[in-house]
């Protein structure tokens, strides 16, 4: 149980375009989802926390207008990277917690390459 | 954002050897977690620690929650090739909706 999926697993896009990444909890209801970014050989850095039906809370230094997060249902959160630039190329990982909010279950990640 | 300090940063060991790595913080956490990440994948939870001083095992893995609540260590006994990967600690504070702060990571490579 407690499986989180992400789609797509990798994406290549042109600079200036927008990219949407989906995060789904497959067998549980995720009241809270988290989005992380990981650059090569670095750790995971939290970008934002999203609760179902409410606006996401962004970490300091993360532009909310550039990284749009929608958590419209208890099983789906989306991250849209708007007007992507090469420096946005990274590994984006989501995680989700169920109602007890004690354990975070991580997705397999989405690798984004912006040309 | 804040990161927890892990040491060593990387290590090469021979199959069968024991491994020890630790994680320190300047502030207190109520929960300590250890994850393993394989290349191109998301992190997978190995061990969770909920009480200061707690020692918990999961197969060949043993982790301890430091008494001061500012550190934790992870031991792997009798390493095998599939132990290769990056190990991250993560701290969690109560009342933060399970938000995690990750460590800098320890890269483990096992030679035959």
């Amino acid at each position: 149980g407690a499986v989180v999926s992400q789609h797509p697993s990798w994406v290549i896009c042109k600079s200036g375009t927008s990219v949407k990444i989906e995060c789904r909890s497959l067998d549980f209801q995720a009241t809270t989802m988290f989005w992380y970014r990981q650059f090569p050989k670095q750790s995971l850095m939290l970008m934002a926390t999203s609760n179902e039906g409410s606006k996401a809370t962004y970490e300091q230094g993360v532009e909310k207008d550039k990284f749009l997060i929608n958590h419209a249902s208890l099983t789906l959160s989306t991250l849209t990277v708007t007007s992507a630039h090469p420096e946005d190329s990274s590994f984006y990982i989501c995680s989700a917690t169920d109602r007890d909010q004690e354990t975070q279950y991580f997705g397999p990640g989405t690798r984004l390459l912006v040309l | 954002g804040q990161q927890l300090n892990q040491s060593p940063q990387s290590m090469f060991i021979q199959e069968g050897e024991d491994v020890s790595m630790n994680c320190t913080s300047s502030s207190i956490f109520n929960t300590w977690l250890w994850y393993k990440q394989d290349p191109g994948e998301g992190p997978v939870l190995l061990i969770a620690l909920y009480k200061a001083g707690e020692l918990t095992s999961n197969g060949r893995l043993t982790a301890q929650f430091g008494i001061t609540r500012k550190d934790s260590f992870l031991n792997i006994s009798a390493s095998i090739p599939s132990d290769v990967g990056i190990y991250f600690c993560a701290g969690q504070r109560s009342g933060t909706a399970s938000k995690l702060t990750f460590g800098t990571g320890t890269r483990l490579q096992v030679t035959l």
Side-chain angles (χ1 to χ4, degrees), chain A residues 53-102:
Chain A
S54 61
K55 288 185 179 179
T57 302
Y58 291 81
E59 294 299 299
Q60 195 170 11
V62 178
E63 299 174 57
K64 63 179 182 181
D65 294 330
K66 180 167 182 62
F67 299 99
L68 302 179
I69 292 172
N70 185 286
H71 191 164
S73 79
L74 283 171
T75 59
L76 173 65
S77 176
T78 60
L79 168 68
T80 300
V81 183
T82 62
S83 186
H85 288 100
E87 58 266 29
D88 297 323
S89 299
S90 188
F91 193 48
Y92 291 86
I93 307 171
C94 74
S95 69
T97 61
D98 57 18
R99 292 188 189 280
D100 69 12
Q101 295 200 339
E102 285 194 1

Side-chain angles (χ1 to χ4, degrees), chain A residues 32 34 36 38 41-46 49 51 59-60 91 93 97 101-109 111, chain B residues 1-3 33 35 37 39-45 50 86 88 92 96-100 102-105 107:
Chain A
T32 305
F34 301 85
Y36 295 85
Q38 185 179 32
K41 301 196 183 213
Q42 294 188 23
S43 187
L44 286 76
M45 295 299 290
L46 181 64
T49 304
N51 293 296
E59 294 299 299
Q60 195 170 11
F91 193 48
I93 307 171
T97 61
Q101 295 200 339
E102 285 194 1
T103 304
Q104 267 187 52
Y105 303 98
F106 283 83
R111 187 162 300 282
Chain B
Q2 180 193 6
Q3 280 190 321
L33 305 157
Y35 290 87
Q37 186 179 30
E41 297 184 18
V44 174
L45 181 64
Y50 300 104
I86 304 176
F88 289 103
Q92 187 176 52
T96 58
S98 70
K99 195 158 84 166
L100 297 177
F102 276 86
T104 48
R107 184 179 298 269

Side-chain angles (χ1 to χ4, degrees), chain A residues 20-36:
Chain A
K20 181 186 284 189
I21 302 170
E22 293 184 348
C23 177
R24 292 182 187 273
S25 57
L26 299 186
D27 50 3
F28 67 100
Q29 292 189 327
T31 52
T32 305
M33 286 184 166
F34 301 85
W35 286 96
Y36 295 85

